[in-house]
Amino acid sequence: MISSTEYGSHTWELLVTVDHQHEEVQKEFVLRVTGDLHIGGVMLKLVEQIKIPQDWSDYALWWEQKKCWLLKTHWTLDKCGVQADAKLFFTTQHKMLRLRLPNMKTVRLKVSFSSVVFKAVSDICKILNIRRSEELSLLKQSEDALKKKKKKDKNGKEPVTEDILNLCDSPVSSGLSGSPGLYSKTMTPTYDPISGTPASSMITWFSDSPLTEQNCSILALSHPNCSPETLAEMYQPRTLADKAKLNAGWLDSSRSLMEQGILEDDQLLLRFKYYTFFDLNPKYDAVRINQIYEQARWAILLEEIDCTEEEMLIFAALQAYQVSKLSLSSEAQDFTCESEVDEVEAALSNLEVTLEGGNTSNILEDITDIPKLADNLRLVR
């Protein structure tokens, strides 16, 4: 019998680059590992070698050549296929991202770059007080729009400082999953931290969101129309091919942001991808309803969709009377003063009127329901 030590050691060197903010500490480390060492052991050995006292819980290994995260810490290097030529990057999973909302307002917040896009969009919607996150997705800006933006910045005399809503302190990671159920929040009375009055249903529904600390209606109100000069500077697709390119940038919902080439502090568009809106409730969906409206409005203004003149006139009439009037009124701006309707009492009164054969009030009806004129006709021979 010949022992394996006579042939030499079966360990090999693995190069790992660490993404940290300490300039005096080196960033590249060479670890002596074996093929049966698991990913968690590699991370533990790396942290012991770095010798920087800080929280490493959000860090994970990113394999640059394969464009994948090594998140299964119990897998061995052999099972992952990591060899000596692999270059691993030890970096944070949550990074800053700039999002352009449907109302053309930009928010800056921390997003998980290791979760799949479907899960990342769900976390984003929890921060922005938007229910039904499955209707939305992330969209890359088209190359033509980026070229026009660079050209405008180059020709402009002064760089335009974009109004960015910074939500970088938002708890997008494990803090949200430990919160109680959404329905239980509406049962406990909470109070607005600014005015001290009883908080509205929208605040109690999303009490984990950082928007409750500022103003929950900041994304729920429509802004006045922009000037024609500002509209002319924005990118407008001219041909059918340009309009087709707008939808070519949708990110894959089953892959992470890093896998699709998205870097830290990049700008993406948050848009409604599926136009089948479920469970629209004005009591909880003020932000969501306004963003749906804003996306439709900007799509018409920038000529991203084809519509007839009659459809545009109908939309303009709704905008002029309903949306703008409600947005500028003081009653709509003060969400804390809205009269809460007891849903149990409303349901009982609705049932009572229905049994008596009268006209029911539409307090609890879904606003997406289309009213129909219908009755039953019995034909007897």
Side-chain angles (χ1 to χ4, degrees):
M1 299 291 291
I2 300 174
S3 64
S4 60
T5 55
E6 296 184 26
Y7 292 103
S9 174
H10 60 286
T11 61
W12 39 276
E13 292 182 345
L14 180 65
L15 179 66
V16 181
T17 304
V18 181
D19 178 24
H20 59 72
Q21 306 299 325
H22 305 276
E23 297 181 357
E24 66 277 0
V25 182
Q26 63 175 356
K27 295 201 172 185
E28 290 191 352
F29 294 87
V30 178
L31 304 178
R32 176 69 63 173
V33 298
T34 59
D36 57 354
L37 181 66
H38 50 79
I39 300 298
V42 174
M43 295 166 64
L44 182 61
K45 187 177 285 192
L46 181 62
V47 170
E48 289 175 350
Q49 195 167 332
I50 296 172
K51 296 179 181 177
I52 299 177
Q54 73 171 61
D55 183 14
W56 299 98
S57 59
D58 193 39
Y59 278 71
L61 290 171
W62 165 255
W63 193 356
E64 184 62 37
Q65 292 105 319
K66 297 285 186 179
K67 297 285 183 187
C68 67
W69 288 92
L70 303 179
L71 298 176
K72 297 182 178 178
T73 54
H74 60 283
W75 280 23
T76 62
L77 293 175
D78 285 342
K79 190 171 182 179
C80 294
V82 176
Q83 303 291 334
D85 61 341
K87 293 180 180 178
L88 301 183
F89 197 56
F90 194 55
T91 182
T92 54
Q93 299 179 57
H94 290 85
K95 301 178 184 292
M96 300 305 298
L97 189 70
R98 287 179 296 128
L99 286 177
R100 195 87 176 268
L101 301 182
N103 64 348
M104 296 300 170
K105 192 174 184 64
T106 304
V107 296
R108 190 169 181 265
L109 69 172
K110 270 194 175 182
V111 179
S112 174
F113 275 61
S114 60
S115 303
V116 295
V117 168
F118 187 85
K119 177 69 170 59
V121 171
S122 175
D123 290 340
I124 291 168
C125 289
K126 283 180 181 177
I127 300 169
L128 300 178
N129 295 358
I130 298 175
R131 294 195 305 153
R132 305 294 173 190
S133 61
E134 62 272 9
E135 299 170 355
L136 296 97
S137 190
L138 297 176
L139 181 67
K140 273 186 186 176
Q141 282 185 300
S142 62
E143 295 181 1
D144 298 331
L146 292 173
K147 286 177 184 175
K148 180 158 187 177
K149 188 176 180 182
K150 288 179 181 177
K151 188 177 179 182
K152 186 182 75 173
D153 294 342
K154 196 174 181 181
N155 296 337
K157 297 178 182 178
E158 297 180 1
V160 180
T161 57
E162 193 174 15
D163 182 23
I164 297 179
L165 179 63
N166 203 345
L167 303 177
C168 59
D169 297 328
S170 54
V172 288
S173 53
S174 58
L176 284 171
S177 58
S179 59
L182 292 179
Y183 288 95
S184 64
K185 290 180 189 176
T186 58
M187 301 301 175
T188 56
T190 56
Y191 298 92
D192 191 283
I194 300 172
S195 61
T197 56
S200 67
S201 304
M202 195 169 68
I203 295 181
T204 56
W205 190 279
F206 296 97
S207 62
D208 286 324
S209 172
L211 283 179
T212 57
E213 299 171 7
Q214 303 173 22
N215 187 2
C216 71
S217 62
I218 194 167
L219 300 177
L221 296 179
S222 299
H223 300 284
N225 289 334
C226 62
S227 62
E229 293 79 13
T230 309
L231 194 63
E233 292 177 354
M234 301 177 72
Y235 171 71
Q236 299 183 18
R238 298 298 180 189
T239 63
L240 193 61
D242 292 340
K243 293 179 181 179
K245 287 178 184 177
L246 292 175
N247 290 319
W250 288 107
L251 297 184
D252 189 348
S253 296
S254 60
R255 297 167 62 204
S256 66
L257 292 172
M258 286 272 277
E259 291 175 28
Q260 302 182 64
I262 307 300
L263 303 176
E264 186 173 6
D265 218 32
D266 279 359
Q267 178 162 310
L268 295 176
L269 308 178
L270 182 68
R271 293 289 184 268
F272 286 90
K273 186 176 183 180
Y274 302 106
Y275 295 102
T276 306
F277 305 113
F278 177 71
D279 186 25
L280 277 174
N281 191 334
K283 193 173 177 182
Y284 303 116
D285 293 326
V287 176
R288 179 174 163 220
I289 292 171
N290 182 62
Q291 297 298 326
I292 292 172
Y293 156 71
E294 287 285 344
Q295 181 166 328
R297 182 170 77 100
W298 282 103
I300 294 175
L301 288 174
L302 299 177
E303 300 179 16
E304 293 178 0
I305 59 172
D306 294 323
C307 55
T308 62
E309 187 177 355
E310 183 182 354
E311 290 170 340
M312 284 191 282
L313 289 172
I314 293 174
F315 191 89
L318 289 171
Q319 173 186 345
Y321 176 72
Q322 185 75 13
V323 183
S324 300
K325 186 179 178 182
L326 288 179
S327 298
L328 297 177
S329 65
S330 59
E331 292 85 0
Q333 291 182 7
D334 191 5
F335 282 97
T336 59
C337 296
E338 63 179 3
S339 60
E340 298 289 340
V341 179
D342 189 351
E343 295 186 0
V344 179
E345 291 291 334
L348 288 173
S349 61
N350 213 350
L351 179 63
E352 184 180 353
V353 174
T354 306
L355 292 175
E356 292 176 357
N359 293 324
T360 61
S361 61
N362 293 327
I363 297 175
L364 294 177
E365 297 294 327
D366 189 359
I367 64 173
T368 57
D369 290 343
I370 301 173
K372 291 185 291 186
L373 186 64
D375 203 349
N376 293 323
L377 182 65
R378 188 180 179 192
L379 297 176
V380 183
R381 185 177 177 184

